[in-house]
Amino acid sequence: VLGYTQKKPIYLLERPSNNVFAKNILIASGFHGEEPAGPWGLLHALESMDSCLLDTVNISVLPLVNISGFCVGQRLNHHSENPNRGFLPLLDDVSASEEARILMHHEVMLTDLGRDGVLSCHEDLSRSSTYIYANESGPAPSQLALKMRDSHAQFFSLQGDGLLDGCKLNDGIVFNHPDSSFEAWLHLCGAASSYCTETPGLADFEPRVRASAAMVKTFIECHM
């Protein structure tokens, strides 16, 4: 338990590998309470995947960050704060939420647990097409980023190119967009790469869950 919000715990779950060369990856979901396909997709993936696949990596999971928002189906937490902003307040002048402060208190540990890759599962409730955010050190999206994008493209069409919420979207990927999100923060803290999925909230719920689960599986497979 990393901390409590409204007396409810924010859990960090860990499954270490016996392989001393296994990579460290961190998967998070449930930052926004009205984006349910992330937590349910993560749960579905962990329940359905072969345990041998999970044994290939040191996997850590934040299954549900915004507990108060999720319980009532609202985006923000019970303080009307955005739990996925405020990690880097100089970038967008947003104060850290209660959940963000708890996670930031464990910066060193979370950075190490996600040093080889971080995945944050989200939804865009205003869209019927999909896209992802990718934070990487290279000049262009890596093969891993393309595989992550293509994992969602099996279920939904890709969002067209152009500006999306002030971000440049090209070929289904918003690449290295600076903001104060959890995933951008951990990348700047030292994680090799971080990705944020955006399942289309206007689509039916079941394929959104399956798409989120597929993304989790792809992310793990790419770090075997």
Side-chain angles (χ1 to χ4, degrees):
V1 175
L2 299 185
Y4 292 86
T5 62
Q6 288 194 314
K7 300 183 179 179
K8 296 175 181 176
I10 295 180
Y11 286 110
L12 171 70
L13 311 178
E14 297 180 66
R15 181 188 173 105
S17 171
N18 291 326
N19 181 357
V20 296
F21 300 106
K23 293 182 178 180
N24 284 15
I25 61 172
L26 174 64
I27 303 174
S29 67
F31 277 93
H32 297 135
E34 92 289 34
E35 300 177 8
W40 285 112
L42 174 58
L43 178 62
H44 178 64
L46 295 177
E47 288 182 334
S48 60
M49 275 190 295
D50 190 318
S51 61
C52 292
L53 176 59
L54 295 175
D55 290 338
T56 62
V57 293
N58 296 314
I59 183 171
S60 302
V61 175
L62 292 165
L64 183 57
V65 174
N66 180 10
I67 304 166
S68 61
F70 187 82
C71 287
V72 296
Q74 70 179 25
R75 181 176 184 81
L76 306 181
N77 65 11
H78 61 285
H79 294 305
S80 295
E81 300 168 326
N82 185 342
N84 199 37
R85 287 294 184 269
F87 289 90
L88 295 162
L90 293 180
L91 291 182
D92 53 20
D93 196 29
V94 177
S95 298
S97 67
E98 181 177 16
E99 293 81 4
R101 292 194 298 272
I102 290 171
L103 297 178
M104 291 167 71
H105 182 71
H106 299 280
E107 174 185 330
V108 174
M109 178 182 66
L110 292 175
T111 302
D112 182 59
L113 293 177
R115 68 172 180 256
D116 295 302
V118 175
L119 174 64
S120 187
C121 303
H122 285 261
E123 301 199 78
D124 188 333
L125 300 185
S126 66
R127 308 284 172 181
S128 57
S129 300
T130 188
Y131 59 98
I132 69 168
Y133 290 84
N135 297 293
E136 299 178 329
S137 57
S142 68
Q143 288 299 311
L144 172 54
L146 298 180
K147 287 180 180 180
M148 298 293 289
R149 177 203 63 189
D150 293 345
S151 179
H152 258 197
Q154 298 177 58
F155 298 87
F156 312 106
S157 62
L158 292 178
Q159 180 71 26
D161 292 355
L163 285 179
L164 189 151
D165 298 329
C167 308
K168 183 180 180 181
L169 177 67
N170 186 47
D171 289 334
I173 299 176
V174 176
F175 187 63
N176 285 349
H177 175 73
D179 60 23
S180 66
S181 65
F182 171 78
E183 56 273 10
W185 167 66
L186 277 187
H187 179 55
L188 288 177
C189 286
S193 58
S194 68
Y195 307 93
C196 172
T197 67
E198 292 288 356
T199 305
L202 295 180
D204 290 339
F205 182 62
E206 182 178 349
R208 286 156 47 199
V209 172
R210 289 191 284 112
S212 293
M215 181 71 83
V216 170
K217 184 178 180 181
T218 298
F219 184 68
I220 294 173
E221 290 175 339
C222 287
H223 290 89
M224 291 172 55

